[in-house]
């Protein structure tokens, strides 16, 4: 046991680390670190030349400080100096600092390259390894240019030490990935493949990574690796656990190497050469057999290592998908794991079985485990395991078990974690459609879906059920009856009202014979929901009403009265008002014949791939869900897979072109999603009129109208509709901010279940921290509630946090999503500076990526005072008498984030006579961080 | 491949981090905090593999030390899980107790890790070969 804890004699370092560890508070720690940084800085700047030992000590301290999460902006030069030391420890610290702290576009690269060159030619293996590690870690283009020719030579030279070969292999891999054009294939290529035969297992382990990557890119050139890999694998697999002593891990011979060999083989199809293939199958069988043997050790490490190989072998078997016997054995093995007490194994078995389910050879074998998987869905305590179980059920579903699986998934949905509900809904919808033998089951399933998880049912799903009902006349009567019943529930989801409104409007006549669902009863039922619904749903209902007038002339008077009421015909919403007026007119002047033609039943939708499938693919990406299997299944049994890829509304407008019909707007809830442009709508005036309608569906796109207005100001009204007004007041200091949100209920009715959540799109989660307390769930009519958000900027960001507001008004769920006006400029501290300073800094920030520039037309007048107010509102200091041209504005500020401060300079150059009558601006931002310049430029270009 | 290796204490402080795919310096702290949050509060019966954004985390904990490895989907979870253990065994072998000396011997822990994983790939798993450069150093220091 060497005397390591003294840190190799670096006493100063040990003392410093102890100090830090003893700090009682974060403040104390920061204070101690700042003291140390000042000390190191003065040492580095001092007149006295430092010896290697001290340099190493200070660089080591800097590294340590960096690891504690503090930014280090000096010491790079000293680290580079250490590279030329002859002492291993000094050199090593230098390289470590560089690999951890220097990124690939640093200007120090040339100096570093020199040091590397010396070390590579030193013939000292430890120095060579350090240099190779460094290239592998930094991997910049300049390094590739300097060394891409040299490394392959080192790698295949006969006299290179094993450890150097290992480093060289990984180094070459990095260069090849970063700059493939610079790594030229050549005579070394075949010799690299033969490293698979190297005596030394470490060299093989390293070389496989390189060979795998090269094979993926140039499969033909590296084909020979297959037979070599098979024979290597075979030697390992058949060896006794004592044969490869150095590389045996808990009685398992070379587990990591085996996994990598099996992974390499997955780059290629099954070997063509019969002998090679036979040998490989033998290996795979041996691996499967070993899983059944009693363990050689009770240690979990033993079984884990063994199973790592087993899972990799199963992946290869699935990849080949050609050996029925092996596939079924693999499936049985995984089946055993499904009930294993180790959660890790259950998780991996579920995941792996999911891919097995898509093979025709093993699909049936997978299905035998259905009860176990359903049980896992119900009882697993870990949500990620449950998620895997749901994926597997989805993958193993076919006509024979669809009803059972869909029923289980539906019942799971009632308690499912919020994070996976939307995906589950899509899956249920797809399975129900794909395997529906009778359509009544399909309709029941989708309506259940809406009832259980209405909030998660996207437009695609309810569009789809309507498309299918329209296209299948055998289900229309049943659908009408079922929605009618579903609508009788006292609280029913708005999506249910939409489907109900649409279907009764089309097919209500099919159930009108029953006095319990007479036309008037149907109408009253629908209309009882009307006031609780959002505008788009109301618009849909109005269209259903006009369809009713056609279907059931006896309802005409009642409906006309409704249309004529002030709340419709004078509705403040333009769309609703227009519909009320037009329908009223239409129903009064048109003859029954005209009415019947205009309001004819919808024609069938063109048969297309389900848009739900597209959505699921987009959500998960291929691979996670075996979509291909799904599509195969479609071919074999897809009598139901009709319908349009577009939302019904666009399909409608298409049909409209041939038979002009105002019912086009029955689906006037035109959302942004479906491809509506496909419709040649020019033929029909009505389509044009209605195409403007309702942008705000219940899960409306994020509303960002208010957002840009708040870039240069902190207070005001962020959002307003008929129900709700949201005002904000905010203040910022350094990297912290506080925002007060005022929610005002504009109606006289209470909002129930009022809740707000802040979400972070993209990477924002790690960049911004917003904390808040929940608001009171009840907002009385006319009342205002306040919510405080505490905001911390961790690092610079480009996205805006989103505020989602949900509440019930009457019975209808309202769902509003807004962009919160938290922008990077809110964290500005103004900086006053003189002209000389300004231009000096301006010049320092002259690299292309530090600058962002936009030239744009003025949207507002060029009033000097207004401009100044905006620039001040931005948070920067407006610098007078700096720019030689008095027309121009220049500003300076520092963006304060928790992790760093970013200095920003801004220049705005108005050009009042760019062209006659056109005023233009040129806006230039320079900062030490490219993302900050770019974001500020984008934000500001919208302001003037 | 392996994206990063983190060693974190129970308080969530990073004791060692090694990235094999470039992550901006400024974003590391936030990423680490987030990753650690994802693992630290998991219960014992939950599985050791966590889906995180578009990759997976494999974690293992020893007394008050957590080791978290970020991997892409081309990596075998169990083999990484055992790789962590192998790493800890090497540390154990070299420093008699793992937990406290890490901070005092950051450079050596880095040397060990660099011998085992390079550029996101496993290169060496044999204990004595991993420790070879350090042993050479120690002999030098003593002579």
């Amino acid at each position: 046991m060497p005397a390591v804890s003294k840190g190799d004699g670096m006493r100063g370092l040990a003392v410093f680390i102890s100090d830090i560890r003893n700090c009682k508070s974060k403040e104390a720690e920061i204070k101690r670190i700042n003291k140390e940084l000042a000390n190191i800085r003065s040492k580095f700047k001092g007149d006295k030349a430092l010896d290697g030992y001290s340099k190493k000590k200070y660089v080591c301290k800097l590294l340590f400080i960096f690891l504690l999460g503090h930014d280090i902006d000096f010491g790079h030069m000293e680290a580079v100096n250490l590279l030329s030391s002859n002492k291993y420890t000094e050199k090593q610290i230098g390289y470590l600092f560089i690999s951890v702290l220097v990124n690939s576009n640093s200007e120090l690269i040339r100096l570093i390259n020199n040091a590397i060159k010396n070390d590579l030619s030193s013939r000292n293996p430890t120095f060579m390894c350090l240099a190779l590690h460094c290239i592998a870690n930094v991997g910049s283009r300049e390094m590739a240019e300097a060394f891409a020719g040299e490394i392959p030579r080192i790698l295949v030279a006969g006299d290179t030490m094993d450890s150097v070969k290992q480093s060289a292999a990984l180094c070459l891999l990095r260069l090849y990935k970063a700059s493939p054009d610079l790594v030229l294939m050549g005579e070394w290529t075949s010799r690299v493949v033969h490293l698979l035969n190297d005596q030394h297992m470490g060299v093989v382990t390293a070389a496989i990574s390189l060979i795998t990557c090269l094979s993926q890119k140039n499969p033909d050139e590296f084909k020979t690796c297959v037979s070599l890999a098979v024979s290597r694998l075979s030697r390992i697999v058949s060896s006794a656990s004592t044969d490869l002593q150095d590389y045996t891990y808990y009685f398992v011979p070379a587990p990591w190497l085996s996994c990598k060999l099996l992974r390499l083989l997955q780059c290629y199809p099954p070997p063509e050469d019969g002998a090679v293939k036979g040998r490989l199958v033998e290996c795979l069988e041996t691996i499967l057999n070993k899983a059944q043997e009693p363990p050689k050790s009770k240690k979990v490490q033993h079984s884990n290592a063994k199973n790592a190989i087993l899972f990799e072998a199963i992946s290869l078997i699935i990849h080949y998908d050609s050996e029925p016997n092996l596939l079924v054995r693999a499936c049985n093995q995984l089946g055993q794991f499904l009930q294993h007490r180790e959660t890790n194994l259950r998780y991996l078995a579920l995941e792996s079985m999911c891919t097995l389910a898509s093979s025709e050879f093993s699909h049936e074998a997978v299905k035998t485990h259905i009860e176990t998987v359903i049980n896992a869905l119900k009882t697993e305590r870990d949500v990620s395991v449950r998620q895997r179980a749901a994926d597997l059920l989805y993958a193993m579903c076919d006509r024979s078990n669809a009803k059972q699986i869909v029923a289980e998934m539906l019942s799971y949905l009632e308690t499912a974690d919020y994070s996976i509900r939307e995906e589950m809904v899509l899956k249920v919808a797809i399975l129900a459609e794909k395997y529906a033998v009778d359509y009544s089951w399909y309709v029941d399933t989708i309506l259940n879906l809406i009832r259980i998880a209405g909030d998660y049912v996207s437009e695609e799903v309810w569009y789809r059920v309507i498309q299918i009902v329209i296209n299948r006349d055998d289900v229309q009567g049943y659908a009408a009856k079922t929605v009618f019943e579903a609508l009788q529930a006292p609280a029913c989801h708005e999506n249910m009202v939409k489907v109900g409104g649409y279907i009764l409007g089309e097919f209500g006549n099919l159930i009108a014979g029953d006095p319990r669902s007479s036309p008037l009863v149907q109408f009253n039922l629908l209309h009882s929901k009307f006031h609780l619904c959002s505008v788009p749903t109301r618009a849909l209902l109005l269209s259903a009403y006009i369809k009713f007038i056609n279907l059931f002339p006896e309802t005409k008077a009642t409906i006309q009265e409704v249309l004529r009421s002030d709340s419709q015909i004078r509705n403040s919403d333009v769309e609703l008002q227009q519909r009320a007026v037009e329908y009223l007119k239409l129903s009064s002047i048109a003859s029954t014949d005209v009415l019947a033609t205009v309001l004819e039943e919808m024609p069938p939708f063109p048969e297309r791939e389900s848009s739900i499938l597209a959505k699921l693919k987009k959500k998960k990406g291929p691979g996670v869900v075996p979509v291909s299997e799904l599509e195969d299944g479609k071919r074999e049994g897809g009598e139901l897979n009709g319908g349009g890829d577009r939302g019904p509304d666009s399909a409608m407008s298409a049909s409209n072109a041939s038979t002009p019909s105002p019912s086009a707007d029955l689906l006037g809830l035109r959302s942004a999603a479906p491809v509506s442009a496909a419709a040649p709508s020019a033929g029909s005036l009505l389509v044009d009129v209605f195409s403007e309608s309702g942008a705000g569906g219940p899960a409306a796109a994020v509303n960002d109208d208010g957002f840009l207005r708040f870039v240069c100001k902190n207070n005001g009204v962020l959002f307003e509709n008929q129900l709700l007004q949201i005002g904000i007041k905010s203040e910022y200091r350094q990297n912290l901010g506080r925002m007060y949100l005022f929610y005002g209920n504009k109606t006289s009715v209470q909002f129930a279940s009022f809740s707000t959540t802040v979400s972070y799109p993209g990477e924002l989660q790690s960049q911004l921290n917003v904390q808040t307390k929940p608001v009171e769930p009840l907002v009385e009519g006319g009342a205002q509630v306040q919510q405080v958000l505490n905001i911390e900027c961790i690092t610079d960001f480009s996205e805006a946090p989103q505020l989602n507001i949900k509440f019930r008004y009457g019975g209808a769920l309202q769902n509003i999503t807004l962009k919160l006006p938290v922008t990077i400029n809110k964290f500005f501290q103004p900086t006053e500076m003189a002209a000389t300073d300004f231009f000096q800094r301006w010049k320092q920030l002259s690299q292309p990526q530090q600058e962002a520039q936009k030239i744009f037309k003025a949207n507002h007048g060029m009033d000097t005072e207004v401009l100044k107010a905006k620039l001040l509102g931005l948070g920067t200091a407006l610098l007078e008498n700096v720019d030689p041209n008095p027309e121009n504005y220049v500003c300076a500020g520092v963006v304060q984030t928790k992790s760093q401060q970013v200095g920003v300079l801004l220049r705005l150059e108005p050009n009042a006579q760019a062209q006659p009558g056109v005023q233009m601006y040129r806006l230039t931002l320079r900062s030490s961080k490219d993302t900050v310049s770019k974001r500020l430029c984008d934000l500001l270009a919208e302001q003037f | 491949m392996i994206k990063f290796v983190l060693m974190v204490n129970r308080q969530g402080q990073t004791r060692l981090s090694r990235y094999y795919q470039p992550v901006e310096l400024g974003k590391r702290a936030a990423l680490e905090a987030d990753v650690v949050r994802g693992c630290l509060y998991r219960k014992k019966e939950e599985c050791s593999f966590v889906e995180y954004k578009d990759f997976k985390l494999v974690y293992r904990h020893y007394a008050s030390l957590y080791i978290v490895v970020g991997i892409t989907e081309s990596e075998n979870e169990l083999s990484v899980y055992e790789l962590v253990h192998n790493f800890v065994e090497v540390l154990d072998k070299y420093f008699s107790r793992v937990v406290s000396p890490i901070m005092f011997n950051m450079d050596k822990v880095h040397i060990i890790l660099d011998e085992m994983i390079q550029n996101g790939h496993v290169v060496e798993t044999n204990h004595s070969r991993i420790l070879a450069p350090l042993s050479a150093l120690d002999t030098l220091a003593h002579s």
Side-chain angles (χ1 to χ4, degrees), chain A residues 252-273:
Chain A
V252 182
W256 292 281
L257 181 52
S258 308
C259 285
K260 286 177 100 172
L261 284 164
L262 287 162
R263 181 67 72 164
L264 169 63
L265 290 171
Q266 289 171 55
C267 301
Y268 287 93
E272 285 156 18
D273 181 331

Side-chain angles (χ1 to χ4, degrees), chain A residues 76 97-104 106 108-109 112 137-138, chain B residues 25:
Chain A
H76 300 72
F97 185 93
I98 284 159
S99 350
V100 174
L101 267 143
V102 173
N103 50 21
S104 42
S106 162
L108 292 171
I109 293 285
I112 298 169
N137 279 318
V138 180
Chain B
L25 297 187

Side-chain angles (χ1 to χ4, degrees), chain A residues 247 249-250 343 351 388, chain B residues 45 51 56 82 89 124:
Chain A
Y247 286 87
Y249 179 80
Y250 289 89
T343 314
E351 189 177 59
R388 287 285 88 82
Chain B
E45 73 266 11
E51 276 160 63
K56 272 190 187 158
E82 284 312 314
E89 282 187 352
E124 188 56 76

Side-chain angles (χ1 to χ4, degrees), chain A residues 241-520:
Chain A
S241 58
T242 44
D243 287 0
L244 302 161
Q245 222 153 30
D246 292 352
Y247 286 87
T248 298
Y249 179 80
Y250 289 89
F251 305 102
V252 182
W256 292 281
L257 181 52
S258 308
C259 285
K260 286 177 100 172
L261 284 164
L262 287 162
R263 181 67 72 164
L264 169 63
L265 290 171
Q266 289 171 55
C267 301
Y268 287 93
E272 285 156 18
D273 181 331
V276 177
K277 188 169 182 191
R279 208 165 172 196
L280 178 57
V281 169
E282 211 173 285
C283 280
L284 295 171
E285 276 170 347
T286 314
I287 294 172
L288 287 166
N289 291 340
K290 279 190 178 171
Q292 297 300 329
E293 287 169 13
K296 294 199 177 76
S297 154
K298 285 210 175 82
K299 287 262 168 64
V300 66
Q301 285 80 3
H302 170 72
S303 54
N304 279 341
K306 212 162 95 176
N307 291 331
I309 302 174
L310 180 60
F311 276 109
E312 207 57 65
I314 291 176
S315 295
L316 182 63
I317 293 171
I318 297 173
H319 168 77
Y320 287 163
D321 197 12
S322 61
E323 299 286 327
N325 171 38
L326 288 176
L327 282 160
V328 171
R329 283 194 66 187
C331 180
N332 295 339
Q333 182 59 55
L334 294 177
Q336 287 182 15
F337 285 154
L338 288 183
Q339 318 215 32
H340 202 279
R341 63 191 160 77
E342 287 270 327
T343 314
N344 289 348
L345 285 183
R346 295 199 303 275
Y347 172 91
L348 293 173
L350 286 166
E351 189 177 59
S352 183
M353 222 180 224
C354 210
T355 42
L356 260 184
S358 58
S359 162
E360 54 173 315
F361 302 113
S362 52
H363 185 74
E364 287 303 316
V366 171
K367 273 167 60 186
T368 59
H369 299 288
I370 185 166
E371 297 301 334
T372 320
V373 182
I374 288 173
N375 195 40
L377 186 66
K378 287 178 178 162
T379 57
E380 281 291 351
R381 291 203 230 164
D382 183 343
V383 54
S384 46
V385 184
R386 290 199 297 273
Q387 165 94 60
R388 287 285 88 82
D391 285 349
L392 177 54
L393 281 180
Y394 177 75
M396 67 161 71
C397 190
D398 63 17
R399 187 147 309 203
S400 71
N401 55 20
K403 283 200 176 170
Q404 185 188 7
I405 287 179
V406 166
E408 291 295 348
M409 286 174 111
L410 271 176
S411 79
Y412 174 60
L413 251 180
E414 307 212 26
T415 53
D417 308 74
Y418 292 103
S419 54
I420 60 174
R421 280 196 186 180
E422 191 184 353
E423 197 189 315
M424 292 283 293
V425 166
L426 290 176
K427 285 181 171 162
V428 171
I430 290 171
L431 293 179
E433 178 184 339
K434 198 168 97 179
Y435 298 116
V437 184
D438 62 293
Y439 297 100
S440 51
W441 174 73
Y442 170 74
V443 170
D444 283 342
T445 304
I446 301 294
L447 293 185
N448 266 330
L449 206 52
I450 295 177
R451 196 161 50 225
I452 294 170
D455 284 349
Y456 298 89
V457 172
S458 58
E459 280 175 339
E460 286 87 345
V461 173
W462 75 261
Y463 281 176
R464 190 70 182 156
V465 68
I466 284 173
Q467 285 171 1
I468 285 172
V469 170
I470 299 237
N471 287 13
R472 305 278 150 187
D473 37 18
D474 50 337
V475 75
Q476 289 161 356
Y478 181 80
K481 182 166 155 287
T482 321
V483 290
F484 178 77
E485 281 161 10
L487 284 175
Q488 277 167 334
C492 88
H493 196 272
E494 192 163 337
N495 280 336
M496 189 70 89
V497 179
K498 287 178 184 161
V499 175
Y502 196 109
I503 288 184
L504 291 182
E506 293 291 320
F507 309 115
N509 55 328
L510 300 176
I511 56 166
D514 186 330
R516 281 166 300 174
S517 53
S518 71
L520 218 52

